[in-house]
mmCIF file of all heavy atoms in Angstrom:
data_model
loop_
_atom_site.group_PDB
_atom_site.id
_atom_site.type_symbol
_atom_site.label_atom_id
_atom_site.label_comp_id
_atom_site.label_asym_id
_atom_site.label_seq_id
_atom_site.Cartn_x
_atom_site.Cartn_y
_atom_site.Cartn_z
ATOM 1 N N THR A 342 10.225 30.874 9.110
ATOM 2 C CA THR A 342 11.242 31.789 8.662
ATOM 3 C C THR A 342 12.566 31.071 8.132
ATOM 4 O O THR A 342 13.385 31.715 7.662
ATOM 5 C CB THR A 342 11.638 32.781 9.630
ATOM 6 O OG1 THR A 342 12.013 32.216 10.861
ATOM 7 C CG2 THR A 342 10.441 33.701 9.998
ATOM 8 N N SER A 343 12.584 29.791 8.458
ATOM 9 C CA SER A 343 13.758 28.949 8.060
ATOM 10 C C SER A 343 13.359 28.006 6.863
ATOM 11 O O SER A 343 12.156 27.736 6.753
ATOM 12 C CB SER A 343 14.311 28.125 9.182
ATOM 13 O OG SER A 343 13.299 27.292 9.691
ATOM 14 N N PRO A 344 14.271 27.538 6.131
ATOM 15 C CA PRO A 344 13.949 26.621 4.957
ATOM 16 C C PRO A 344 13.338 25.345 5.532
ATOM 17 O O PRO A 344 13.588 24.945 6.642
ATOM 18 C CB PRO A 344 15.271 26.389 4.292
ATOM 19 C CG PRO A 344 16.185 27.522 4.747
ATOM 20 C CD PRO A 344 15.701 27.910 6.128
ATOM 21 N N PRO A 345 12.668 24.618 4.682
ATOM 22 C CA PRO A 345 12.025 23.327 5.047
ATOM 23 C C PRO A 345 13.190 22.293 5.247
ATOM 24 O O PRO A 345 14.254 22.512 4.666
ATOM 25 C CB PRO A 345 11.215 22.944 3.844
ATOM 26 C CG PRO A 345 10.894 24.217 3.109
ATOM 27 C CD PRO A 345 12.130 25.027 3.316
ATOM 28 N N PRO A 346 12.923 21.244 5.972
ATOM 29 C CA PRO A 346 13.986 20.138 6.117
ATOM 30 C C PRO A 346 14.392 19.698 4.743
ATOM 31 O O PRO A 346 13.551 19.538 3.797
ATOM 32 C CB PRO A 346 13.275 19.138 6.914
ATOM 33 C CG PRO A 346 12.174 19.822 7.660
ATOM 34 C CD PRO A 346 11.687 20.983 6.802
ATOM 35 N N ILE A 347 15.691 19.463 4.541
ATOM 36 C CA ILE A 347 16.152 18.992 3.308
ATOM 37 C C ILE A 347 15.994 17.485 3.173
ATOM 38 O O ILE A 347 16.401 16.732 4.112
ATOM 39 C CB ILE A 347 17.659 19.308 3.113
ATOM 40 C CG1 ILE A 347 17.801 20.884 3.144
ATOM 41 C CG2 ILE A 347 18.222 18.785 1.828
ATOM 42 C CD1 ILE A 347 19.242 21.340 3.187
ATOM 43 N N THR A 348 15.421 17.010 2.089
ATOM 44 C CA THR A 348 15.215 15.582 1.822
ATOM 45 C C THR A 348 16.613 15.004 1.599
ATOM 46 O O THR A 348 17.409 15.508 0.851
ATOM 47 C CB THR A 348 14.316 15.407 0.596
ATOM 48 O OG1 THR A 348 13.034 15.941 0.870
ATOM 49 C CG2 THR A 348 14.174 13.854 0.379
ATOM 50 N N PRO A 349 16.912 13.814 2.267
ATOM 51 C CA PRO A 349 18.204 13.240 1.999
ATOM 52 C C PRO A 349 18.370 12.974 0.478
ATOM 53 O O PRO A 349 17.456 12.721 -0.235
ATOM 54 C CB PRO A 349 18.117 11.879 2.790
ATOM 55 C CG PRO A 349 17.085 12.244 3.900
ATOM 56 C CD PRO A 349 16.116 13.100 3.230
ATOM 57 N N GLN A 350 19.721 12.931 0.110
ATOM 58 C CA GLN A 350 20.004 12.725 -1.319
ATOM 59 C C GLN A 350 19.246 11.442 -1.871
ATOM 60 O O GLN A 350 19.227 10.501 -1.167
ATOM 61 C CB GLN A 350 21.533 12.580 -1.543
ATOM 62 C CG GLN A 350 21.885 12.528 -3.045
ATOM 63 C CD GLN A 350 23.396 12.677 -3.171
ATOM 64 O OE1 GLN A 350 23.973 13.535 -2.621
ATOM 65 N NE2 GLN A 350 24.008 11.729 -3.980
ATOM 66 N N TRP A 351 18.769 11.572 -3.116
ATOM 67 C CA TRP A 351 17.820 10.540 -3.523
ATOM 68 C C TRP A 351 18.486 9.179 -3.585
ATOM 69 O O TRP A 351 17.750 8.118 -3.393
ATOM 70 C CB TRP A 351 17.432 10.871 -4.957
ATOM 71 C CG TRP A 351 18.436 10.805 -6.017
ATOM 72 C CD1 TRP A 351 19.326 11.846 -6.385
ATOM 73 C CD2 TRP A 351 18.759 9.790 -6.863
ATOM 74 N NE1 TRP A 351 20.131 11.438 -7.375
ATOM 75 C CE2 TRP A 351 19.813 10.178 -7.754
ATOM 76 C CE3 TRP A 351 18.207 8.462 -7.015
ATOM 77 C CZ2 TRP A 351 20.374 9.240 -8.605
ATOM 78 C CZ3 TRP A 351 18.812 7.583 -7.996
ATOM 79 C CH2 TRP A 351 19.922 8.132 -8.807
ATOM 80 N N ASP A 352 19.803 9.085 -3.820
ATOM 81 C CA ASP A 352 20.462 7.721 -3.891
ATOM 82 C C ASP A 352 21.299 7.490 -2.665
ATOM 83 O O ASP A 352 22.153 6.579 -2.746
ATOM 84 C CB ASP A 352 21.321 7.693 -5.145
ATOM 85 C CG ASP A 352 22.336 8.759 -5.290
ATOM 86 O OD1 ASP A 352 22.431 9.660 -4.435
ATOM 87 O OD2 ASP A 352 23.205 8.698 -6.210
ATOM 88 N N ASP A 353 20.968 8.076 -1.594
ATOM 89 C CA ASP A 353 21.668 7.681 -0.278
ATOM 90 C C ASP A 353 20.947 6.448 0.280
ATOM 91 O O ASP A 353 20.157 6.617 1.224
ATOM 92 C CB ASP A 353 21.634 8.915 0.716
ATOM 93 C CG ASP A 353 22.314 8.628 1.949
ATOM 94 O OD1 ASP A 353 22.886 7.497 2.146
ATOM 95 O OD2 ASP A 353 22.388 9.496 2.840
ATOM 96 N N TYR A 354 21.303 5.292 -0.290
ATOM 97 C CA TYR A 354 20.565 4.042 0.166
ATOM 98 C C TYR A 354 21.000 3.615 1.541
ATOM 99 O O TYR A 354 20.301 2.910 2.220
ATOM 100 C CB TYR A 354 20.742 2.970 -0.848
ATOM 101 C CG TYR A 354 20.185 3.338 -2.231
ATOM 102 C CD1 TYR A 354 21.031 3.508 -3.342
ATOM 103 C CD2 TYR A 354 18.757 3.529 -2.338
ATOM 104 C CE1 TYR A 354 20.356 3.868 -4.560
ATOM 105 C CE2 TYR A 354 18.211 3.859 -3.547
ATOM 106 C CZ TYR A 354 19.075 4.020 -4.700
ATOM 107 O OH TYR A 354 18.483 4.396 -5.909
ATOM 108 N N ASN A 355 22.206 4.078 2.005
ATOM 109 C CA ASN A 355 22.603 3.676 3.329
ATOM 110 C C ASN A 355 21.646 4.297 4.376
ATOM 111 O O ASN A 355 21.332 3.715 5.365
ATOM 112 C CB ASN A 355 24.054 4.160 3.597
ATOM 113 C CG ASN A 355 25.056 3.320 2.902
ATOM 114 O OD1 ASN A 355 24.803 2.123 2.678
ATOM 115 N ND2 ASN A 355 26.239 3.882 2.597
ATOM 116 N N HIS A 356 21.167 5.486 4.068
ATOM 117 C CA HIS A 356 20.177 6.209 4.951
ATOM 118 C C HIS A 356 18.936 5.346 4.953
ATOM 119 O O HIS A 356 18.342 5.137 5.987
ATOM 120 C CB HIS A 356 19.974 7.612 4.387
ATOM 121 C CG HIS A 356 19.022 8.458 5.305
ATOM 122 N ND1 HIS A 356 19.545 9.212 6.247
ATOM 123 C CD2 HIS A 356 17.695 8.526 5.312
ATOM 124 C CE1 HIS A 356 18.462 9.874 6.864
ATOM 125 N NE2 HIS A 356 17.337 9.386 6.288
ATOM 126 N N SER A 357 18.543 4.929 3.747
ATOM 127 C CA SER A 357 17.223 4.183 3.652
ATOM 128 C C SER A 357 17.391 2.828 4.330
ATOM 129 O O SER A 357 16.505 2.398 5.159
ATOM 130 C CB SER A 357 16.964 3.897 2.149
ATOM 131 O OG SER A 357 17.012 5.009 1.410
ATOM 132 N N LYS A 358 18.527 2.137 4.179
ATOM 133 C CA LYS A 358 18.735 0.827 4.809
ATOM 134 C C LYS A 358 18.755 0.915 6.297
ATOM 135 O O LYS A 358 18.274 0.099 7.074
ATOM 136 C CB LYS A 358 19.977 0.163 4.244
ATOM 137 C CG LYS A 358 19.835 -0.152 2.741
ATOM 138 C CD LYS A 358 21.182 -0.677 2.165
ATOM 139 C CE LYS A 358 21.155 -0.879 0.697
ATOM 140 N NZ LYS A 358 22.415 -1.274 0.152
ATOM 141 N N SER A 359 19.465 2.013 6.764
ATOM 142 C CA SER A 359 19.586 2.233 8.254
ATOM 143 C C SER A 359 18.186 2.326 8.877
ATOM 144 O O SER A 359 17.925 1.768 9.983
ATOM 145 C CB SER A 359 20.383 3.476 8.542
ATOM 146 O OG SER A 359 20.316 3.820 9.964
ATOM 147 N N PHE A 360 17.271 3.129 8.190
ATOM 148 C CA PHE A 360 15.871 3.291 8.673
ATOM 149 C C PHE A 360 15.224 1.933 8.775
ATOM 150 O O PHE A 360 14.537 1.573 9.777
ATOM 151 C CB PHE A 360 15.194 4.310 7.919
ATOM 152 C CG PHE A 360 13.728 4.481 8.291
ATOM 153 C CD1 PHE A 360 13.335 5.201 9.440
ATOM 154 C CD2 PHE A 360 12.719 3.862 7.536
ATOM 155 C CE1 PHE A 360 12.017 5.269 9.793
ATOM 156 C CE2 PHE A 360 11.362 3.961 7.866
ATOM 157 C CZ PHE A 360 11.074 4.703 9.077
ATOM 158 N N SER A 361 15.217 1.248 7.607
ATOM 159 C CA SER A 361 14.540 -0.071 7.548
ATOM 160 C C SER A 361 14.993 -1.029 8.607
ATOM 161 O O SER A 361 14.171 -1.785 9.119
ATOM 162 C CB SER A 361 14.669 -0.631 6.139
ATOM 163 O OG SER A 361 14.066 0.235 5.123
ATOM 164 N N GLN A 362 16.320 -1.067 8.798
ATOM 165 C CA GLN A 362 16.773 -2.043 9.784
ATOM 166 C C GLN A 362 16.551 -1.713 11.226
ATOM 167 O O GLN A 362 16.753 -2.529 12.113
ATOM 168 C CB GLN A 362 18.326 -2.231 9.516
ATOM 169 C CG GLN A 362 18.564 -3.008 8.155
ATOM 170 C CD GLN A 362 19.973 -2.922 7.684
ATOM 171 O OE1 GLN A 362 20.751 -2.119 8.269
ATOM 172 N NE2 GLN A 362 20.289 -3.605 6.645
ATOM 173 N N LYS A 363 16.105 -0.516 11.484
ATOM 174 C CA LYS A 363 15.692 -0.088 12.898
ATOM 175 C C LYS A 363 14.285 -0.693 13.250
ATOM 176 O O LYS A 363 13.977 -0.527 14.440
ATOM 177 C CB LYS A 363 15.781 1.445 13.012
ATOM 178 C CG LYS A 363 17.174 2.086 13.009
ATOM 179 C CD LYS A 363 17.137 3.478 13.080
ATOM 180 C CE LYS A 363 18.511 4.129 13.113
ATOM 181 N NZ LYS A 363 18.512 5.603 12.966
ATOM 182 N N ILE A 364 13.575 -1.070 12.225
ATOM 183 C CA ILE A 364 12.154 -1.451 12.540
ATOM 184 C C ILE A 364 12.153 -2.864 13.059
ATOM 185 O O ILE A 364 12.382 -3.820 12.230
ATOM 186 C CB ILE A 364 11.361 -1.281 11.237
ATOM 187 C CG1 ILE A 364 11.406 0.151 10.660
ATOM 188 C CG2 ILE A 364 9.886 -1.705 11.470
ATOM 189 C CD1 ILE A 364 10.790 0.300 9.299
ATOM 190 N N LEU A 365 11.794 -3.027 14.315
ATOM 191 C CA LEU A 365 11.813 -4.298 15.020
ATOM 192 C C LEU A 365 10.472 -4.449 15.662
ATOM 193 O O LEU A 365 9.870 -3.492 16.184
ATOM 194 C CB LEU A 365 12.983 -4.478 16.012
ATOM 195 C CG LEU A 365 14.367 -4.267 15.440
ATOM 196 C CD1 LEU A 365 15.353 -4.221 16.604
ATOM 197 C CD2 LEU A 365 14.718 -5.480 14.464
ATOM 198 N N ALA A 366 9.997 -5.691 15.822
ATOM 199 C CA ALA A 366 8.649 -5.974 16.427
ATOM 200 C C ALA A 366 8.673 -5.616 17.848
ATOM 201 O O ALA A 366 9.604 -5.948 18.573
ATOM 202 C CB ALA A 366 8.271 -7.411 16.137
ATOM 203 N N LEU A 367 7.604 -5.106 18.356
ATOM 204 C CA LEU A 367 7.340 -4.814 19.728
ATOM 205 C C LEU A 367 7.236 -6.121 20.424
ATOM 206 O O LEU A 367 6.736 -7.139 19.947
ATOM 207 C CB LEU A 367 6.161 -3.960 19.958
ATOM 208 C CG LEU A 367 5.926 -3.474 21.362
ATOM 209 C CD1 LEU A 367 7.023 -2.487 21.841
ATOM 210 C CD2 LEU A 367 4.561 -2.843 21.463
ATOM 211 N N MET A 368 7.766 -6.217 21.733
ATOM 212 C CA MET A 368 7.585 -7.514 22.469
ATOM 213 C C MET A 368 6.228 -7.890 22.595
ATOM 214 O O MET A 368 5.334 -7.003 22.789
ATOM 215 C CB MET A 368 8.239 -7.209 23.851
ATOM 216 C CG MET A 368 8.269 -8.546 24.756
ATOM 217 S SD MET A 368 9.000 -8.240 26.336
ATOM 218 C CE MET A 368 10.739 -7.935 25.810
ATOM 219 N N GLY A 369 5.866 -9.154 22.366
ATOM 220 C CA GLY A 369 4.532 -9.638 22.353
ATOM 221 C C GLY A 369 4.035 -9.947 20.929
ATOM 222 O O GLY A 369 2.999 -10.596 20.813
ATOM 223 N N THR A 370 4.703 -9.436 19.930
ATOM 224 C CA THR A 370 4.346 -9.660 18.597
ATOM 225 C C THR A 370 4.681 -11.102 18.281
ATOM 226 O O THR A 370 5.658 -11.591 18.724
ATOM 227 C CB THR A 370 5.119 -8.809 17.616
ATOM 228 O OG1 THR A 370 4.830 -7.404 17.940
ATOM 229 C CG2 THR A 370 4.741 -9.074 16.183
ATOM 230 N N PRO A 371 3.824 -11.876 17.609
ATOM 231 C CA PRO A 371 4.147 -13.287 17.298
ATOM 232 C C PRO A 371 5.451 -13.389 16.537
ATOM 233 O O PRO A 371 5.847 -12.569 15.618
ATOM 234 C CB PRO A 371 2.942 -13.686 16.306
ATOM 235 C CG PRO A 371 1.895 -12.763 16.656
ATOM 236 C CD PRO A 371 2.439 -11.466 17.030
ATOM 237 N N GLN A 372 6.250 -14.364 16.974
ATOM 238 C CA GLN A 372 7.556 -14.655 16.295
ATOM 239 C C GLN A 372 7.332 -15.571 15.067
ATOM 240 O O GLN A 372 6.345 -16.372 15.048
ATOM 241 C CB GLN A 372 8.513 -15.298 17.306
ATOM 242 C CG GLN A 372 8.941 -14.284 18.381
ATOM 243 C CD GLN A 372 10.024 -14.942 19.334
ATOM 244 O OE1 GLN A 372 9.791 -16.025 19.926
ATOM 245 N NE2 GLN A 372 11.090 -14.362 19.492
ATOM 246 N N PRO A 373 8.273 -15.515 14.173
ATOM 247 C CA PRO A 373 8.086 -16.370 13.041
ATOM 248 C C PRO A 373 8.388 -17.835 13.411
ATOM 249 O O PRO A 373 9.247 -18.168 14.323
ATOM 250 C CB PRO A 373 9.167 -15.867 12.036
ATOM 251 C CG PRO A 373 10.202 -15.265 12.888
ATOM 252 C CD PRO A 373 9.498 -14.657 14.073
ATOM 253 N N PRO A 374 7.820 -18.817 12.616
ATOM 254 C CA PRO A 374 8.271 -20.239 12.820
ATOM 255 C C PRO A 374 9.722 -20.265 12.600
ATOM 256 O O PRO A 374 10.311 -19.592 11.694
ATOM 257 C CB PRO A 374 7.441 -20.954 11.675
ATOM 258 C CG PRO A 374 6.269 -20.040 11.367
ATOM 259 C CD PRO A 374 6.731 -18.662 11.634
ATOM 260 N N LYS A 375 10.377 -21.214 13.244
ATOM 261 C CA LYS A 375 11.888 -21.353 13.192
ATOM 262 C C LYS A 375 12.368 -21.842 11.837
ATOM 263 O O LYS A 375 13.382 -21.494 11.300
ATOM 264 C CB LYS A 375 12.380 -22.234 14.224
ATOM 265 C CG LYS A 375 13.854 -22.234 14.435
ATOM 266 C CD LYS A 375 14.284 -23.019 15.654
ATOM 267 C CE LYS A 375 15.834 -22.961 15.897
ATOM 268 N NZ LYS A 375 16.265 -23.752 17.107
ATOM 269 N N TYR A 376 11.456 -22.671 11.209
ATOM 270 C CA TYR A 376 11.885 -23.286 9.919
ATOM 271 C C TYR A 376 10.756 -23.093 8.890
ATOM 272 O O TYR A 376 9.623 -22.896 9.229
ATOM 273 C CB TYR A 376 12.091 -24.801 10.140
ATOM 274 C CG TYR A 376 13.120 -25.112 11.190
ATOM 275 C CD1 TYR A 376 12.743 -25.610 12.465
ATOM 276 C CD2 TYR A 376 14.473 -24.992 10.838
ATOM 277 C CE1 TYR A 376 13.698 -25.917 13.409
ATOM 278 C CE2 TYR A 376 15.459 -25.258 11.742
ATOM 279 C CZ TYR A 376 15.105 -25.751 13.159
ATOM 280 O OH TYR A 376 15.954 -26.022 14.048
#
Side-chain angles (χ1 to χ4, degrees):
T342 55
S343 57
I347 297 173
T348 300
Q350 186 169 313
W351 69 274
D352 58 354
D353 182 359
Y354 296 116
N355 288 332
H356 185 93
S357 308
K358 293 172 185 177
S359 174
F360 175 77
S361 295
Q362 290 165 352
K363 289 176 183 174
I364 302 171
L365 301 171
L367 189 66
M368 185 177 293
T370 302
Q372 289 184 305
K375 191 173 182 179
Y376 303 104

